[in-house]
Amino acid sequence: MAGTVTQSSLELFPIGNCQVSALVDERAGFVWGCVPRVDGDPVFCSLLNGDKVDEGVWRFELEGQVSSSQHYERNTPILVTRLEAEDGSAVEITDFAPRYEGSGRMYRPVAFIRIVRPVAGAPRLRVRLAPLYGYGSAEATTTNGTNHIRYQLGDQTMRLSTDAPVGYVLEGRSYRVEADQHFFLGPDEPFVGNIRSEIRRMEANTRKYWQHWVRGLHIPLEWQEETIRAAITLKLCQHEETGAIVAALTTSIPEAAGSERNWDYRYCWIRDSYYTVQALNRLGALDVLEKYLAYLRNIIDKARGGQIQPLYSVMGEAELHESFAENLAGYRGMGPVRVGNAAYKQVQYDCYGQIVMPTAQAFFDTRLLRMADETDFAHLEEVGEAAWAKHDKPDAGLWEFRTRQEVHTYSAVMCWAACDRLANVAARLGKGDRVRYWKDRAEAIRAKIEENAWSEEGDHYGASFESDYLDASLLQMVELRYLAPDDERFLKTFAAVERDLRRGDHMLRYAAEDDFGAPETAFNVCTFWLIEALHLTGRSSEARDLFCAMLSHTTKSGLMSEDLDYETGELWGNFPQTYSLVGIINSVGLLSKPWSDVR
């Protein structure tokens, strides 16, 4: 098993600290990891490097390895990988990125920690640390001292501090591991203190931080482990410095084999982030909401009543020019590998509702450290005015069509939601005139939707005002409180969506051809929307069965990507996908038995 070339897969375990992250494969290899943040240069990029599995990787290779197993420490993103050899020898590798409070701030450096522990026999190990830079275009140059190696990665340098034999690491030689060894790959500065004791302290503090964070979650009775793992991973997708939440930790994992539907998801979509904070808020994770609201305030300030983009960088940068990383072959050789995302140029008018709705909570929730005030309301009204102005205008829609625009029903409903929630906020602030103002606008948008989105011929809502084709986002009309689950029009639309888009246990986002042809895979969050709709319309037993079927498709890490081949069950698309993890949390919230059942 050791040294063999294996096909890349999404059997990956994320680690991170809300500053940097890495994806660890089944052989204890860091196969994806960017510095100095999630949208930075992937110094570990073998996931997208075709068959060059030994380049852009950090791996511990056990001589004679025959098996491996992995698990997270309970209620943490601290990963333990056990490698076993044919002679019975074994090592355990503990991986994490340090995160804990100290000196009045959160310690979350651009750093990764690995601890190797011999646990059986006399294991012989080879350390393969081969970072690349420039999106796979060049190897790092190295210099070293007695207990460290410096890796020059273009204009940035990382330093490995270790109590392992530096010469063996540099030369890639195997050696016998007779005691625990510690590896700290981080900033180019001397490691202060005894590396063994300091890393053990960081390990204990990081474990304590995450276990205490999880302890503060309000989780349902059933599927607790699945809910906790999804929540931890969603938090890892937040960039602590600004509060931005990325859609996924990767770029260019194709939606289907050879489809060229390869997108860079390491950015903050207003839509995806809305769903993420909504799900975590249901679990009581207010820290994520608070940080994200600060990010939104900065976005609103910059817009000043102007166009809100669908996505921004984690630092709030607006221009995300799309290019190709020519030196990376792609996942399983399926390029292109994209850097940046041209969707930033699109108009997607659903984003106005997705700004107003999470921000509205800040006017009501007295738990928040910073509640919203009248100044915030004035700025939020500017967003509402944009929603009113655009509710019946063509856009690219939530599925981000690149070659056509229509007035999408989902976008119009989101604009309605923006005005509806502004009326609620105005009532909270005692502004009777603004209550009526925003209610009138919400009612006007509703009238426009009913007139243009309902198809008398099809007897259902259409995905757009111009046509009566269907898409799964129509199932969100209940979640957004536009319709009640027993509304006759919703029931008819649900029946039509299920008939046209359901494929066995899975749901397409739409069946019509788009810019790249007909979709070939199911969109996982849409299947979770189906589960929610089944439950809300009285088919709860079927919803539970379908939910359990979806959980059977999660990786060994308990996570999901964006897409799934509904014939083979293989996961595709960027990983881990926030949308899909939101679907797990929301479905558990609806389907779980109540705590009163055990009290």
Side-chain angles (χ1 to χ4, degrees), residues 468-486:
D468 64 354
Y469 80 94
L470 294 155
D471 82 46
S473 68
L474 296 168
L475 300 182
Q476 288 288 282
M477 298 175 94
V478 170
E479 170 67 28
L480 295 172
R481 303 204 304 269
Y482 181 84
L483 295 175
D486 60 353

Side-chain angles (χ1 to χ4, degrees), residues 245 267-277 292 295-296 299 308-312 348 350-356 358:
I245 301 169
Y267 305 109
C268 183
W269 269 259
I270 301 300
R271 177 189 315 111
D272 300 50
S273 299
Y274 155 69
Y275 281 107
T276 298
V277 297
Y292 178 63
Y295 179 80
L296 277 187
I299 296 298
I308 299 290
Q309 293 181 188
L311 69 155
Y312 297 84
Q348 297 174 27
D350 56 317
C351 65
Y352 298 116
Q354 288 142 0
I355 287 177
V356 171

